[in-house]
Amino acid sequence: DVFHFSGHGSANRGNPLESTLWCAGDERLTVRDLLAQRLPDKRLAVLSACETGIPGAELPDESVNLPAALVQAGFAGAVASLWSVYDSSTAMLVVRFYHHWRAEGLEPRYALRLAQRWLRDTTNGEKADFFGQFVPDLRQKMAGEASAEFANELDDLDPDGRAFAHPVHWAAFTLTGA
């Protein structure tokens, strides 16, 4: 009942039906494609990619974007981003979101908000502790370069600092639907 997309997205403000999730082999999944689908009883789509929640600019009183298309297709809700996002902070936010939602049983809207606050407010050391306990061996759970980059970024930060406090790291993600 969950669709999770982690990759590249792009918004087309002039023609929002062509806003795209980029898949393997340069295949595209567009708003137009999603509007043609009927996927009953789906709970949530999580789009952890850039620009997945940006609406078109031509119809300011209508929201034509990937989350609206997913809700139209049958998902109760969709999490998406309003600008280009950083890989590491997005990974932290999404892992924490799933922890609150799936492990703690919170509704997605509360889980997202708590994940955003956690990313904003915790120290780098607290984040490293969470990932050290929650993901026993990060390098085994993530693929190749992504795991090394993620783990090294946390290791290289001042443990008392708050490297992800700026809204660019946590505020891009919104929930459309329920």
Side-chain angles (χ1 to χ4, degrees):
D1 66 342
V2 177
F3 169 67
H4 183 99
F5 180 84
S6 181
H8 298 287
S10 60
N12 186 327
R13 294 175 192 195
N15 185 1
L17 292 176
E18 295 304 315
S19 292
T20 300
L21 298 176
W22 292 95
C23 303
D26 288 331
E27 293 290 322
R28 299 170 12 140
L29 181 61
T30 66
V31 167
R32 183 183 315 278
D33 298 330
L34 290 168
L35 288 172
Q37 300 298 312
R38 292 299 168 257
L39 307 165
D41 302 323
K42 301 299 179 199
R43 177 60 188 108
L44 191 67
V46 178
L47 308 176
S48 59
C50 296
E51 301 180 356
T52 53
I54 298 174
E58 297 298 315
L59 300 170
D61 59 340
E62 295 182 24
S63 183
V64 180
N65 60 9
L66 290 160
L70 286 160
V71 169
Q72 177 67 28
F75 282 89
V79 175
S81 65
L82 297 174
W83 55 77
S84 293
V85 294
Y86 292 100
D87 291 342
S88 294
S89 55
T90 297
M92 286 186 258
L93 178 77
V94 170
V95 167
R96 192 67 183 199
F97 164 76
Y98 277 115
H99 177 74
H100 287 308
W101 179 37
R102 302 300 260 192
E104 296 178 357
L106 297 177
E107 288 293 320
R109 62 185 169 162
Y110 298 121
L112 179 60
R113 181 64 185 126
L114 284 175
Q116 289 170 318
R117 291 175 68 189
W118 177 84
L119 190 60
R120 180 192 69 192
D121 295 344
T122 57
T123 65
N124 303 327
E126 290 169 321
K127 287 175 185 68
D129 289 345
F130 172 77
F131 285 102
Q133 294 170 16
F134 184 67
V135 181
D137 188 352
L138 195 59
R139 287 174 174 86
Q140 289 180 6
K141 300 279 184 181
M142 297 173 72
E145 290 180 25
S147 67
E149 179 184 326
F150 184 78
N152 289 341
E153 184 170 353
L154 282 175
D155 290 345
D156 292 343
L157 295 173
D158 171 13
D160 295 324
R162 287 180 167 79
F164 304 99
H166 192 280
V168 72
H169 294 289
W170 53 267
F173 289 92
T174 63
L175 174 66
T176 300

